[in-house]
Amino acid sequence: MSASAEELIGHSYTRARRHPLVIGKLPGAGRLPGGPYTITQVMTMVISFGLLVMTRDLWAHFGAMNFILMALIPWGLAWVLRYARLDGRDPARAVRSLLIYSSTPAQGRLAGKPQRVARPRLATATCTVRVRSAERPAPVPAAAKPSPVPAPVARRKARPAPVPAAAAAGRAEPKTGLQALLASLDEQ
């Protein structure tokens, strides 16, 4: 099989190798019930438990059931987060990505610094109009005067081409472009 006709096959194992950091056992206490837990689940349990303790005066009117609610609500939220996926990621990573995306500059970054696009400015120009008087003739523009063209530099000496005798007799010194133009006008 030739190199151009060879079929290329690629494999990606990143999904299989992506294991989240989990907390499954406590030293000396053994395995956690309902675990292992990801860092997102542990943070959810801690934050929701803290919020329940701080707002205890608002909801805690059930007697002994208050302690069961303070244990079940954080654990239930963590259990729901185990199966919740946004774009293949756990919700904490998805929210982090959203915050990073919303905080980046619209034009991007260049060498770690926000790229700034210059504000558009109005174009300004000036135009000068001069009226020629009939008494003075118009000056000849500098662009109309021909400038001499430098001859190309030969790198090595070349043999001169044979010149017919008739042309050699009438040949004089080389003419510039303007002299050649005037000579052709005189011949006509």
Side-chain angles (χ1 to χ4, degrees):
M1 183 177 268
S2 69
S4 62
E6 185 177 332
E7 184 178 337
L8 299 175
I9 299 173
H11 299 282
S12 175
Y13 298 103
T14 56
R15 188 110 173 135
R17 294 180 185 205
R18 205 179 305 161
H19 297 292
L21 181 62
V22 295
I23 301 170
K25 293 182 179 181
L26 290 177
R31 186 180 165 103
L32 294 173
Y37 298 109
T38 62
I39 302 298
T40 305
Q41 290 174 304
V42 171
M43 292 304 295
T44 301
M45 284 192 274
V46 169
I47 291 172
S48 62
F49 183 78
L51 287 174
L52 287 173
V53 169
M54 289 184 347
T55 60
R56 179 177 44 213
D57 295 337
L58 296 174
W59 63 270
H61 305 292
F62 305 109
M65 186 72 154
N66 294 341
F67 296 110
I68 295 172
L69 287 176
M70 286 182 75
L72 285 180
I73 289 176
W75 184 82
L77 288 174
W79 183 78
V80 168
L81 279 180
R82 174 180 288 180
Y83 300 105
R85 294 281 177 238
L86 297 172
D87 201 23
R89 296 176 288 180
D90 66 294
R93 291 178 191 247
V95 169
R96 179 180 173 264
S97 300
L98 183 64
L99 290 174
I100 290 172
Y101 176 72
S102 64
S103 67
T104 56
Q107 288 82 21
R109 295 185 180 274
L110 180 64
K113 296 179 181 175
Q115 177 72 22
R116 287 186 172 70
V117 177
R119 293 187 336 197
R121 294 185 228 157
L122 293 176
T124 58
T126 57
C127 179
T128 305
V129 178
R130 294 185 182 170
V131 179
R132 281 192 298 186
S133 65
E135 302 162 0
R136 263 192 314 184
V140 177
K145 296 178 185 176
S147 61
V149 178
V153 177
R155 294 191 182 215
R156 65 179 188 164
K157 288 188 177 182
R159 286 187 184 173
V163 179
R171 190 169 85 183
E173 62 186 57
K175 299 178 183 179
T176 64
L178 182 61
Q179 290 172 345
L181 180 64
L182 292 174
S184 67
L185 290 174
D186 287 340
E187 289 174 6
Q188 291 178 359

